């Protein structure tokens, strides 16, 4: 599981280990170079979770921009008063500019959904796609932050992407913008985010992942009204979790048989 650390210390204790099969697409919990050095195969579960995770990203984006969390808390707390033109007014999603940080499988699936909402889509990553994408334009990180009404973080966690979004990046965003993170919590600096949300630097944030995870209930982000947090539900549908489990099992069996894994990180 993505919560298990597979590092030198663990590998030291498992001298006969042949294959590590992760039931997730992200493998930041696995020391890949240590596995490579020992000839251990590593598998993961890409593709089967792409569309489900993009659904969550889009739902989280709408919930954040349109203040679902605050609304639900008001209803539960008996604070739903008379209809008021300025009550919990949010930001439009349709027709706005969406910036996607990390344009892999999931980032591209989010972009496909944005087309239906007549959004202009920008993306950034190390290099533009080799085949230009009809739905999205490649820009620098600075330009994306400056122009986007909504920013979705979908890049994998690596040494380079740790705290990719911190004070400078949040400052570069529009004060009306939202930030959504569906990747790994460590891509966003939580202290900088809390400051940005409480000082009006950005409008709101939607997090499906946090740092630490699970986030303790007394973490300031949990009680920040314009921060909407879901507990790492990206791929959490019955069909997708079954598909992930089956692919992880097939990877494992292939590895034990000495065959090439169906979805390898290290073949
Ligand atoms: C992944 O696959 O990496 C997700 O975070 C779990 O759905």
């Amino acid at each position: 599981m993505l919560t298990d650390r597979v590092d030198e210390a663990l590998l030291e204790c498992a001298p006969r280990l042949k294959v590590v099969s992760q039931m997730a697409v992200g493998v930041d919990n696995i020391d890949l170079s240590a596995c490579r050095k020992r000839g251990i195969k590593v598998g993961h579960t890409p593709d089967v979770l792409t569309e489900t995770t993009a659904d969550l990203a889009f739902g989280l984006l709408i919930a954040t921009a349109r203040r679902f969390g605050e609304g639900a808390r008001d209803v539960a707390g008996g604070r739903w008063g008379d209809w008021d033109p300025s009550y919990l007014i949010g930001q439009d999603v349709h027709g706005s500019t969406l910036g996607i940080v990390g344009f892999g499988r999931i980032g591209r699936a989010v972009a496909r959904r944005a087309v239906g909402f007549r959004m202009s889509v920008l993306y950034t990553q190390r290099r533009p796609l080799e085949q230009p994408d009809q739905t999205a334009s490649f820009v620098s990180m600075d330009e994306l932050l400056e122009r986007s009404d909504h920013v979705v973080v979908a890049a994998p966690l690596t040494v380079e992407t740790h705290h990719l979004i911190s004070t400078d990046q949040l400052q570069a965003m529009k004060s009306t913008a939202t930030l959504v993170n569906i990747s790994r919590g460590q891509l966003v600096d939580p202290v900088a985010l809390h400051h940005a949300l409480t000082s009006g630097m950005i409008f709101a944030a939607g997090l499906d992942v946090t740092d630490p995870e699970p986030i303790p209930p007394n973490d300031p982000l949990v009680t920040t009204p314009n921060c909407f947090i879901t507990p790492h539900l990206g791929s959490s549908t019955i069909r997708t979790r079954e598909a992930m489990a089956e692919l992880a099992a097939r990877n494992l069996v292939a590895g034990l048989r000495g065959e090439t894994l169906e979805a390898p990180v290290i073949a």
Side-chain angles (χ1 to χ4, degrees), residues 2 22-28 44-46 49 53 106 182-184 208-209 213 232-236 240-241 244:
L2 53 85
Q22 167 104 323
M23 188 181 147
V25 66
V27 287
D28 47 276
H44 66 153
T45 60
L49 50 66
T53 307
I106 296 170
I182 52 145
S183 170
R184 289 291 182 267
D208 187 46
V209 287
E213 199 171 290
H232 206 145
L233 299 177
S235 58
S236 184
T240 293
R241 284 287 160 84
M244 290 165 69

Side-chain angles (χ1 to χ4, degrees), residues 182-263:
I182 52 145
S183 170
R184 289 291 182 267
Q186 294 93 321
L187 271 87
V188 177
D189 175 347
V191 177
L193 178 63
H194 181 252
H195 175 66
L197 289 169
T198 51
S199 64
M201 197 183 285
I202 66 168
F203 183 75
L207 309 175
D208 187 46
V209 287
T210 57
D211 180 21
E213 199 171 290
I215 193 164
N218 62 352
D219 187 293
L221 283 174
V222 173
T223 46
T224 300
N226 51 347
C227 188
F228 185 68
I229 304 177
T230 49
H232 206 145
L233 299 177
S235 58
S236 184
T237 66
I238 295 168
R239 197 163 57 178
T240 293
R241 284 287 160 84
E242 282 177 0
M244 290 165 69
E246 285 166 12
L247 176 52
R250 289 197 300 276
N251 276 335
L252 193 63
V253 171
L256 290 174
R257 287 188 176 140
E259 294 164 4
T260 307
L261 308 193
E262 186 176 326

